[in-house]
Structures are given as C-alpha cells and as structure tokens.
Amino acid sequence: MPDPDHLDRRGAVGVITLDNPPVNALSLSLRVALQDAFEAGLEDPEIEAFVIHSAGRMFSAGADIREFDSGAAGESPTLGELIAMIEASPKPVVAAVHGAAFGGGFELPLGCHARVSVPGTRVGLPEVTLGIVPGAGGTQRLPRLIGVPAALDAIVSGKPMKAEKGYELGLIDEMASSLDDLVDVAVRLAEKLAAEDGPPPKVRDRDDRLAEARENPGLFDDFRASIARRARGFEAPYACIECIEAAVEKPFDEGLAFERETFTRCRNSLQSKAQRHVFFAEREARRVRGVEKATPKASISQAAVLGCGTMGGGIAMCFANAGIPVRVTETEQGALDRGMDKIRGNYASTVSKGRLSEADAEARLALIEPTLDFDSIADADIVIEAVFEDMALKKEIFTRLDAICRPDAIMATNTSSLDVDEIAAVTSRPEQVVGLHFFSPANVMRLLEIVRGEKTSPEVLASVMAMSGRIGKVGIVVGVCDAFAANRMLYPYAQQAGFLIEEGAFPEQVDRVIYEFGFPMGPFGLGDLAGLDVGWRVRQHREPTRPKDLRYSPIADRLYEMGRYGQKTNRGWFRYEEGSRTPIPDLEVTELIVRTSEELGIERREISDEEILQRCMYPLINMGARVLEEGISERSSDLDLVWLYGYGFPRYRGGPMFYADSVGVDHVYETMKRFHEVHTDWLEPAPLLERLAREGGTFGDWSAS
Ligand code: T1G
Ligand code: NAD
C-alpha cells in the first residue's frame, strides 16, 4: 500500500504530496488518497489554493500499467475523474513537477491551472509506445497548450520533452532554479492565482492554438504521410492522430469522449498487449539468476577492443558514443588505418545526414585511440576481442590477455559461434571472461547477447549488464551453445525460406509475406544486405559437421559461385540498380530456382502466403523452445527481445514467443507436427512445445524451475 497523500498547509496553500514508490504510479490507492486530500482541502475554508508535488525521484510515471489487465484502472476515482475535479476546482491548483512526468502523470499537471518545473525534468506522453493513446485528456489538452504540430510530434513519437523546452512552448509556466526551490515557486504562483478575480484559467477553455490548426486543413494528412514508414503496421500512432484531430474539430467534452473510446479500443487490442509485454520484458531481462541488486559492479572508464574490422570498429564506436575512451589494436598498420577510415566514414555520414554535429563527431573520434601496441591495453577495465573467428587465434589472444590485464579486468569475446568456456579455460581467471555478442553493424544494432560462461562471475555479469545500458544496448543474458539464442533461432527461419523456394515460392513472395507481417525486410533481402559471401563462408566453416542425410538447399551456394554476393555486387537474390537498395526480382535467379527444383526432383506447387509465414515463423519458435528447455535462456520474454532488437521482429506482435502464445501454442505444435510429417527433416516439434500444447500452457507462464 502506498503511503496516503499528505495535505500540508503553507499559509493559505494546501500542499499535496504524491507518495507511491518507486515511480508514483497512479494506482487506485494513490488516486483515492489524492481525492481524499483534495476534497479535505476544498472543504477547508483556510485553504485558497493547492500545489501538487511528489516525494521520491519523479513526479509520476503515469497510470499503473499493471492495473490495465486487472480492471482497477477503471475503478472510481478514475484518473479522468480526478483530473476533471481538479480542473473544475474554484481554488487554483499548481503542479510542481520534477524528475519525470509521463502519461497520466503528465495529464494530471495538464489538468491543473499552472505548471512549475525544474531544469532536467522530462515530461511526455509515452502511451503510444504501449500501443494506446493517452487516456486522461492528454490528446485534448496538449494541443490547446502548445499547438497541433508540436503536440502531434510529442504524442505520436511518445518521446519525452525537457521541461526547459516545455517552458519555451508555453507548457510550463515557471521554472524553479533547483529542486529545493520547486515547491516554494509553486506556492507563490498558487497564491498569485488565488488573488486573481474569477475562476482559475482552464486549459480546456483555450482555443487560440487550435484555431491556427483549423487554418491548415492538410496538416493531419501531411503528418500521416510523414510517419508512414516508421509507423507501418502500428495502430496506436494513427489512433493518436485521430484523437488530436478530434481536439481540433469537436467541443472539449466530445473530444474527451472520443479519446476515451479510442483508448479503450486500443487497450483491448492485441497490439497493446504485445507492447505492454515488451515493456515488462525489458525490465524483466535485467533480472539475472545469481545477480543481486547489491552485486558489485566494476566502473568502466577505459575500454579496449582487439581487432578493428567489421565488428571491432563498430564496437569501439559504441564506447566512444557513450563518452568512454577506447583503444583499438591491430597487428599491422594497414589494417588499423583501414579500420579507422571506416569509423571516420561512419561518423562523416552521420554528420552529413544532420544527425550529429561536426564537433561531436570530432569529440567521439578523439576518444578512439588506434594502436599497434598490444601491451597498452593492460590498464583497460574491459577488453573486447573481435579478431577472426578462429579458436586457436582466440586462445592465443586470451593467453596473452591473461598475462597483461589487471586482475579485475573484464575479458570479453565477440565470438559468434565458438565455445566461450573453451576460450575462458586458457586463462587463470575464467570468472572474468564473458561473451559479448554484438550484432552487425555493431554501432547501430541494439541487441547485445551477453554470453554467460560456466564460470563467469556474478560481478562480471552485473558489470556488463550495466555497461550495455550505458552504451545504448539491450543486454540479454544467454548461455553457451552453438550460435547462442539469436542466430540459433535465425537458422531454421532462413533454412525454411530456402526450402520454400525449392518447393514453389520465389524470393519476392517470401520477402513480401515477411515484410507484410511487419519485419523491415524478408530473409532474402536480409541475405543480400549481409552479403551472400558472408553466409557462404559460415557454411564452409560448418560443412564438416553438416548432417549429410538431412535436406540442404544448394541455391545460395550457387548464387555465390555466380559472383552474386548481394547488394555489394548489385546482384544477389535480387538485382539492384546502381546506388539503389530496392530489390528487383531477377530472371536469372528465377531460372536458377526452377532448374534446381527440377534437379532435386521437386514438383513445384503453388504455396500460400499462410504456409510461408508458418514455415518461417514456427520453426524459429520451435528452436526457441529448445533454447529454453536447455536453459540457454532464462525466460521466453528474453527471446522476444532478442528478435525485436536483433532482427526487427515487429514490436506490435511482442516477439516470436509472445506471438506463439497469442496464436496458441497448441496451434503452433499441431502445425509443426503436420509440417514434420510432410517434410520430415528439421521440423520435429521440440519437447517443450509439445508439453505446453498438451498441458494448455504458454511460453509466457513457463519457467525453467
Ligand atoms: N506502471 C506500473 N509500474 C511501473 C510504471 C507504470 N507506469 N513505470 C514503471 N514501473 C515499474 C517498473 O516496472 C519497475 O518495476 C519500476 O517501476 C522502476 O521502473 C491514462 C494510460 C518512469 C522512465 O509509459 O518509462 O499513463 O521492475 O526500472 O529506469 O494516459 O519506468 O522494479 O518491479 O523502468 O528509472 C504511461 C513507463 C503509462 C512510463 C523510470 N507511462 N515507465 O525508469 O525505472 S500509461 C509510461 C517508464 C498511462 C494514461 C495512461 C520508466 C521511467 P520493477 P524502471 P527507470
Ligand atoms: P573482420 O575480419 O572484419 O575483422 C577481424 C579483424 O581482426 C581484422 O581487421 C584483423 O586484421 C584483426 N585481427 C586479426 N588478428 C588479430 C590480432 N591478433 N590482434 C588484433 N587484431 C587482429 O571480422 P569481423 O566480422 O569483425 O568478426 C570479428 C569477430 O566478431 C569474429 O569472432 C566474428 O565471429 C564475430 N562476429 C561477427 C559478426 C559479423 O556479422 N561480422 C557478428 C557478430 C560477431
């Protein structure tokens, strides 16, 4: 139970303190307490005005998201009722906002008669990221205060705004210079408002900013067009726009009712359930077996990266971008120069796109120190090895690292397929060794698989988890196995795509189905982007262990032999016009595919979009089930994040394991069983999938213990 709100007297001002740790979520008990305090103040003849502020590190994170499914969010007083009561109050109410005010925690101040804040505070309406629209008047009041274009930007992106910016826009009435002054400034403003004649000013009555929008009727359609790419497939951004349109077109109360209906519809949608799942999945992923809140973390102020190739250069950039100095080493000057040129080129391109200033790019570059002197990395807090994928070489490097690194240094390998335990075993301190599996391009992709070796210490895990957040990554802990979680689940997906084109589909059909499902691109477009030569090299590496009695599709190898390496040669699974990344189906590939089917004795057939989707998705889910039962991953929501951040799985579908739960685990199992009966190889249902289907369970509820 949260502490009841306090109502303190400061002269004629009643000061109400919200106190519901850790984030002052507006749960039912807090709403009741706020209502009680407010009503007591209304009745008190000595009180002429109110200030609402919060204890703790922030004003409020908004509605209690956990109440969405319990129904408590709809119990009286609802947030909407509270805000209406505050706005209608004859005694002025000033919100004193610090830390963060998000969602309902920002809609509450919007319903107050004035807002005061301090520098560094973030305010915003992130509801869209949860698949909903703001549900307590945010879409109606914000445009009245800051105008429609700024409100569209803020609400549809869900991005928070600094209070300083809010002050410029007229959203915040006064800024206190520091947190210590915040309540004083708010009390003075409340007194001033109380001294004015007439009822206090209400945001709902303002129309000047809406009138501007009415003069620009194309505004909403232009905005819709501008977000078409990034919002593809999402329902909530468009629902937000409709609510803001309603603010412009309808009287306040009708607009509010429209917002409420839209909110309820969104909240009950599968998309919102999926996006709420992702919110909690991200927080859950920070809980790692054996790591406690109190587990000590190493502070990382100097990093080193071994190898400045494709991955090493990108990894070095991640540190520099986070303001952490990093040394990169190579064995030979030419390689070092090439690596640094690539890094410089990357920064220059970001600058040319206007996403980074020249000065910031220079400052970041200055944090990257190229060197041929291996011993110079001896003082690093963390060393990340990103040399060639070769066990003998990695062992040699870790032996050398063991000899020179500080005893408390973290020694990480970026291997994508080698055994982290075997690498750790060459050192005298395997507890300091961990896998850090970045994804290419390492400076862009958000996913970081943290590979926990048999002996990796909790301190090292806690340190790299904290570090991953600092360098902008979503760190997901996985265990040691061939290919870890992400790539291991990717293989069956790519493999079935390959079989489907032998059986009758074409790359453009498969890619269209996957794109329409919500991925940024399909498996063949992805192959062309990554380079078919890269895939070929990986297969060569695996060739000695490939089971020769199981089905294998040779088409990708043939494309490689034809010199079709993907986008880099303008020809791969598709054809590309010079300078363009748009895939165009190519007759040469079509003919190759048809010829290969013939050679393999496969009679080509019409393949439905539904089969394509299921043949690509269900085997990867099936592999996810194996990853879970082997204990490689602690929970299914971690695998959801791996796919969201590693491969662009559509967020509004919650990730592959959540998707399996939403279509029904039994359906996935029955379909896999049918596929297995027809196609035999590679498609055997995983025991966990079968068990959950039999027991009516879900991946979400499954836990290893
Ligand atoms: N409801 C319930 N629990 C919440 C919560 C919330 N709104 N926000 C945070 N928590 C929990 C979180 O799960 C974690 O729990 C702990 O608090 C600390 O959070 C009507 C419908 C504010 C920036 O979307 O963005 O208002 O894991 O680890 O990194 O229109 O929390 O410890 O058990 O994230 O310092 C809109 C969501 C709601 C904001 C703080 N609001 N929160 O970050 O801590 S919908 C949001 C955040 C709404 C109205 C509607 C962040 C934060 P545990 P944390 P943090
Ligand atoms: P790369 O060939 O582009 O880069 C490797 C670099 O290491 C080269 O520049 C090479 O000169 C340098 N190097 C070799 N021996 C060295 C030594 N003894 N000391 C210092 N530098 C040395 O390879 P990459 O794609 O960057 O892969 C590096 C590692 O990352 C591999 O283990 C790979 O499996 C892994 N990985 C690659 C990807 C990817 O998509 N490319 C993704 C995740 C992980």
Side-chain angles (χ1 to χ4, degrees), residues 3 46 71 148 192 197 240 263 275 298 311 380 470 496 685 687:
D3 291 342
E46 308 276 299
V148 169
K192 194 172 129 214
D197 289 338
C240 288
F263 170 81
Q275 287 172 253
M311 297 306 290
R470 245 179 107 194
Q496 292 299 318

Side-chain angles (χ1 to χ4, degrees), residues 22-23 25-26 57-58 60-66 68 79 100 102-105 107 122 125-127 129-130 132-137 260 263 279-280 283-284 286-287 293:
V23 295
L26 293 157
R57 60 191 172 102
M58 68 185 74
S60 171
D64 186 337
I65 305 169
R66 289 180 205 272
F68 280 26
L79 188 56
F102 288 158
E107 289 171 300
R122 293 179 307 151
L125 295 169
E127 283 88 341
T129 64
L130 298 168
I132 51 176
V133 300
R260 181 102 301 254
F263 170 81
F279 175 82
F280 287 113
R283 279 144 190 91
E284 205 49 37
R286 297 183 206 148
R287 287 184 240 280
K293 266 213 167 86

Side-chain angles (χ1 to χ4, degrees), residues 307 309-311 330 386-389 394 397 414 416 437-438 440:
T310 310
M311 297 306 290
E330 278 277 348
V387 303
F388 302 132
E389 187 77 336
K394 303 229 182 218
I397 295 227
N414 180 46
S416 33
H437 187 215
F438 289 79
S440 183

Side-chain angles (χ1 to χ4, degrees), residues 51 99 121 129 191 234 298 395 408 411 477 523 578 672 705:
V51 163
T121 303
T129 64
E191 286 166 348
F234 286 88
K395 283 183 169 171
D408 60 339
M411 305 196 295
V477 175
E578 189 61 45
M672 280 300 292
S705 49

